[in-house]
Amino acid sequence: MSDGHSDVRFSAAVKEIQTRKGSREAYAEMEAQGGTRTEIDESLEAFLANTNSFYFATSSADGQPYIQHRGGPKGFIKVLDKQTIAFADYSGNRQFITQGNLSENPKAFIFVMNYAYRQRIKLWGEAKVVEDDPALTRALMPQGYRARPEQVIVFKLKAWDINCPQHIPQKFDAADVAAALGSRDQRIAELEAELAALKGEPAPAPAG
């Protein structure tokens, strides 16, 4: 028995291969227990709130795939309700491949990677471009972010899943590394000043 939503992730062809390679029974058991996630819970909302980069996949009506990077300050992806997320779509190279694909095939996929914590999340759903809602565009535009919003993309969630961390390299954003190094340097300066005071010596000059 399938839970219905699992068909979004596992097509008949996928299930046939799972059967041939020995993993179908385990996934069928998960499906029977309602294992496919279909709503945005607190953990997913928190993960998205901490996201500054993801990949957005679409395809044309004849199945030609396309994937595009989307980025912005943390929090630029907004959760509108338990099954809807949205983000301001900034002006770019004006190829409009994603928008063209969505105009004839609403099926879409979001892939989010957090390298620092070695986590990846997959979201299946349908998306649409909203060009005529200035209020929604303003609400989704990150305050102070230097980009020109051209439209909005609204994504209706069908299913989501978490991949295991195997083979994900651990990487850190440059801004996070700079902040960590700044805190370290400040603490070193404080300790050096305390040591100099104990020795009755002048405090060291600040670095830089």
Side-chain angles (χ1 to χ4, degrees):
M1 286 286 292
S2 167
D3 63 7
H5 297 284
S6 71
D7 295 335
V8 176
R9 297 186 300 157
F10 302 145
S11 67
V14 170
K15 291 176 181 178
E16 188 279 326
I17 294 173
Q18 290 175 347
T19 299
R20 178 162 56 84
K21 296 197 172 185
S23 62
R24 176 92 285 265
E25 184 176 346
Y27 284 115
E29 182 178 350
M30 179 194 71
E31 291 162 3
Q33 297 173 356
T36 299
R37 309 177 202 213
T38 60
E39 291 189 346
I40 300 169
D41 59 18
E42 291 182 358
S43 65
L44 178 56
E45 185 168 4
F47 184 90
L48 294 175
N50 197 45
T51 294
N52 61 6
S53 174
F54 69 91
Y55 293 93
F56 189 58
T58 59
S59 67
S60 62
D62 63 0
Q64 182 63 41
Y66 183 69
I67 190 166
Q68 191 168 49
H69 174 262
R70 282 290 178 261
K74 291 180 179 180
F76 82 103
I77 306 174
K78 305 292 186 184
V79 174
L80 303 187
D81 59 46
K82 291 294 185 180
Q83 290 188 296
T84 312
I85 63 176
F87 56 93
D89 195 29
Y90 312 132
S91 179
N93 58 20
R94 303 185 67 78
Q95 291 182 344
F96 303 117
I97 298 175
T98 294
Q99 184 169 359
N101 286 349
L102 292 176
S103 72
E104 58 185 18
N105 180 4
K107 291 182 179 179
F109 179 81
I110 290 176
F111 184 86
V112 191
M113 179 75 83
N114 186 319
Y115 285 102
Y117 292 96
R118 301 178 68 238
Q119 295 174 321
R120 53 187 168 189
I121 287 184
K122 305 174 293 184
L123 301 95
W124 290 263
E126 294 187 353
K128 65 178 180 179
V129 174
V130 178
E131 298 181 280
D132 56 356
D133 193 334
L136 179 61
T137 302
R138 286 193 299 271
L140 293 173
M141 186 63 194
Q143 189 172 8
Y145 188 56
R146 298 185 64 180
R148 185 174 73 82
E150 187 160 344
Q151 55 210 6
V152 164
I153 292 182
V154 178
F155 182 90
K156 297 293 288 187
L157 181 70
K158 297 292 186 182
W160 67 279
D161 195 14
I162 300 174
N163 267 118
C164 72
Q166 189 176 19
H167 309 303
I168 300 177
Q170 192 169 40
K171 303 179 182 181
F172 300 92
D173 284 354
D176 293 335
V177 173
L181 291 177
S183 297
R184 181 206 62 182
D185 292 344
Q186 180 179 354
R187 183 56 181 156
I188 290 174
E190 292 170 353
L191 293 172
E192 288 178 339
E194 291 176 11
L195 182 60
L198 290 172
K199 292 181 176 181
E201 300 173 352

